[in-house]
Amino acid sequence: MVQLHNRPGVDEAPGVQASGGVRSKGLNSNSVGLLGNAVIGVSTVAPVYCLTTTLGTTVAAVGLRMPALFLAGFLPMMLVAFAYRELNKAIPDSGTSFTWTVKAFGPKVGWMCGWGLVIATIIVLSNLAGVATEYLYLLLGEITRSDSVAALNGDRLVHVVTCLALIAVATLISYRGMTATKGVQYALVGLQLAVLGLFGVMAIAKSAGHGAAGSLHFSWSWLDPFRASSFTSFVAGLSLSLFMYWGWDACLSANEETGGSEKTPGRAAMLAMAVLVGSYLFTAVAVQMYAGVGTTGTGLGNPETSSNVLAVLAGPVMGTGLGVLLFVAVLASASASLQTTFIPVSRTVLAMSVYEALPASFTAVNERYKTPGRAIVTAGVGTGAFYTVMTLVSSHVLADTIAALTLMICFYYSLTAFACAWYFRHDFRASVRDALLKCVFPLIGGLTLAAIFGKSLVDMADPAYGSGSSVFGVGSVFVVGAGLLALGLVVMAVMTRRSPAFFRGEVLTRDTPALVIPD
């Protein structure tokens, strides 16, 4: 048998699964099960890290409706998760959003969708490294009872060097394969969820007795998102909550390495989403009951503590001894996510290369570990370089880059949802199930995220958005976000000249014939 469109440079000859007409990548199949895949999804999202960085800023946007916005952000993500699940059943390919949107809308739209995922991941990886570094020195300061040790994070050189070391370790673990990744993740995810649960229980218990000055009694109105003060504040809060759920699709990126690749990754994504929304709502209600939404002291609306809420509440809620566990949990959360976030970016780059949308060198799969080694190392180097440059240029630029992440998330998630509705449009009348799960739900989710993308783009143009800096009178968050997407168009133009077959639609289409590995 002869393979079509085979690329040089792969340690194992790629083939194509007959069900979807797509190429296998030489990855280690059946190395992860349902639970392991779900753990990877939860780990990539990093719930404890997301909570400590988002609780205060969400309260600043919507006040007491913070729990409601966490729930509101879950709804479009769940609708998009249906799209991922249905597409994965039909086309279980590690390229996920890239592969699916190419099949639905053609090579150029698919290429830009893949670019959005890659850029979003690089931004998150750099931020995770920064947070892990911060909490490493905070934890060391707590253990040694030394303010000077904790202050080492403020030394720019020490901070950057430590970040690079953490990125290097995460890259090495990811390089060694899914089995190594899975073992580390069970411990780190279990630790952070256990500590988060203990923290929430203690916060609720103390709120009923001797809570903070602004302690509140629970109210069902906290779960009503329509009581937000304005539509602008609602969208701002919703954008923050979307960031809190980003990363669950890592479950699907590992589909070629998961047993039962057509069904298990989709089920794992649903399980991960359930764990996330449950932990978010429980913690949000608990901390709001204990600390309230005041703008002073331990109040969640205090602008001086909004970027690191759990560090402020650790001692008051859990005491000096147990409070250290919360620092450990945040460090574990950021470190775990730093490791697993390499999965979606490396598998997407691998798939784009296999289908000739990126240089052939990225098709290299390590013969021993069955991982896309070159893609993983390149992602690690790129993350380190990106974070170093952004940190040295300006802390404001780095913060605005993170704020622009919402654009990338909404961009590629909405395109994937639309791809599902379009790809399965002929199944609309097949059954009620197909109509809802393959068309209606994904379309609603895609439209919601597209609307948030548009509104956020307009809001980000205001210089007051984010750090407050601007470029020629335009908000720097807008410049960064739109600039990164525009950079994708430039890179795509270069690749169009280097790989004309892909962009002519000759490599990967909806009707790509099923290929097989030679006997």
Side-chain angles (χ1 to χ4, degrees):
M1 302 291 291
V2 178
Q3 284 185 293
L4 303 179
H5 305 300
N6 194 21
R7 297 290 300 271
V10 190
D11 291 346
E12 292 194 357
V16 175
Q17 300 176 16
S19 61
V22 293
R23 305 174 185 178
S24 64
K25 319 297 184 306
L27 299 171
N28 190 10
S29 61
N30 298 319
S31 60
V32 183
L34 174 63
L35 180 59
N37 198 313
V39 166
I40 287 173
V42 174
S43 174
T44 304
V45 174
V48 181
Y49 149 73
C50 286
L51 283 166
T52 194
T53 57
T54 311
L55 283 166
T57 49
T58 306
V59 165
V62 297
L64 289 170
R65 313 307 157 204
M66 179 258 292
L69 268 293
F70 288 173
L71 182 60
F74 166 75
L75 296 177
M77 285 297 192
M78 177 57 71
L79 296 178
V80 173
F82 283 121
Y84 272 76
R85 188 182 69 175
E86 296 304 316
L87 284 166
N88 184 73
K89 284 182 181 179
I91 315 166
D93 186 84
S94 65
T96 60
S97 294
F98 159 75
T99 303
W100 299 333
T101 48
V102 169
K103 279 183 161 286
F105 299 131
K108 291 185 178 180
V109 175
W111 198 96
M112 284 302 298
C113 187
W115 173 262
L117 186 154
V118 169
I119 290 300
T121 307
I122 294 298
I123 293 173
V124 170
L125 281 170
S126 63
N127 190 40
L128 287 168
V131 172
T133 298
E134 178 183 358
Y135 269 86
L136 174 61
Y137 286 111
L138 284 174
L139 176 61
L140 292 175
E142 286 288 319
I143 294 174
T144 60
R145 304 288 183 178
S146 171
D147 292 336
S148 60
V149 173
L152 285 174
N153 183 66
D155 186 306
R156 183 172 295 188
L157 178 60
V158 172
H159 178 89
V160 170
V161 170
T162 306
C163 278
L164 294 179
L166 291 175
I167 292 170
V169 171
T171 302
L172 177 61
I173 296 174
S174 298
Y175 189 90
R176 291 176 62 86
M178 296 295 288
T179 302
T181 298
K182 181 179 63 175
V184 174
Q185 293 308 315
Y186 279 128
L188 295 180
V189 170
L191 171 66
Q192 61 178 295
L193 291 180
V195 173
L196 192 62
L198 177 62
F199 170 76
V201 169
M202 295 183 71
I204 292 174
K206 287 196 172 183
S207 71
H210 50 283
S215 293
L216 301 170
H217 293 292
F218 172 75
S219 171
W220 287 106
S221 66
W222 293 356
L223 303 179
D224 183 359
F226 298 105
R227 293 195 179 187
S229 59
S230 67
F231 182 67
T232 298
S233 64
F234 173 82
V235 172
L238 190 58
S239 298
L240 290 167
S241 66
L242 290 178
F243 166 73
M244 295 184 66
Y245 291 102
W246 180 87
W248 57 266
D249 51 313
C251 298
L252 285 302
S253 296
N255 51 17
E256 293 187 39
E257 296 151 274
T258 302
S261 61
E262 295 182 0
K263 295 182 178 180
T264 302
R267 292 171 179 170
M270 294 296 178
L271 178 58
M273 292 286 280
V275 171
L276 290 168
V277 70
S279 60
Y280 285 164
L281 284 177
F282 174 69
T283 307
V285 169
V287 297
Q288 194 156 289
M289 289 177 64
Y290 174 82
V293 295
T295 57
T296 59
T298 58
L300 299 179
N302 186 343
E304 296 181 1
T305 62
S306 62
S307 63
N308 203 348
V309 169
L310 296 186
V312 176
L313 296 180
V317 173
M318 303 183 75
T320 304
L322 290 177
V324 174
L325 288 177
L326 203 54
F327 287 89
V328 174
V330 178
L331 176 60
S333 183
S335 300
S337 183
L338 178 63
Q339 176 195 326
T340 54
T341 303
F342 278 99
I343 294 173
V345 65
S346 62
R347 272 61 176 179
T348 298
V349 169
L350 171 66
M352 293 179 75
S353 181
V354 166
Y355 296 120
E356 304 181 33
L358 284 178
S361 58
F362 291 114
T363 59
V365 173
N366 181 272
E367 187 173 358
R368 178 181 179 184
Y369 300 117
K370 307 298 183 185
T371 56
R374 183 161 297 181
I376 290 173
V377 172
T378 301
V381 172
T383 298
F386 178 84
Y387 189 81
T388 300
V389 171
M390 292 296 101
T391 302
L392 295 179
V393 169
S394 169
S395 59
H396 292 308
V397 174
L398 180 62
D400 287 341
T401 301
I402 297 167
L405 181 63
T406 299
L407 294 180
M408 313 302 165
I409 296 172
C410 291
F411 178 75
Y412 84 86
Y413 274 165
S414 61
L415 279 179
T416 306
F418 292 145
C420 181
W422 184 252
Y423 186 84
F424 292 114
R425 65 190 184 280
H426 299 303
D427 294 344
F428 183 78
R429 297 182 180 180
S431 67
V432 174
R433 179 203 177 280
D434 285 349
L436 292 177
L437 299 186
K438 293 182 178 181
C439 300
V440 176
F441 288 169
L443 184 60
I444 294 174
L447 288 172
T448 302
L449 294 180
I452 296 172
F453 176 89
K455 183 66 169 62
S456 298
L457 203 61
V458 172
D459 292 342
M460 289 175 180
D462 186 344
Y465 197 100
S467 68
S469 57
S470 63
V471 178
F472 299 115
V474 180
S476 60
V477 179
F478 175 91
V479 174
V480 170
L484 288 173
L485 288 176
L487 178 61
L489 294 174
V490 175
V491 178
M492 184 174 67
V494 174
M495 289 308 305
T496 301
R497 297 178 62 87
R498 294 189 59 178
S499 303
F502 170 79
F503 290 98
R504 287 197 300 261
E506 299 173 2
V507 178
L508 181 64
T509 69
R510 181 186 179 94
D511 301 315
T512 300
L515 309 181
V516 296
I517 300 176
D519 296 330

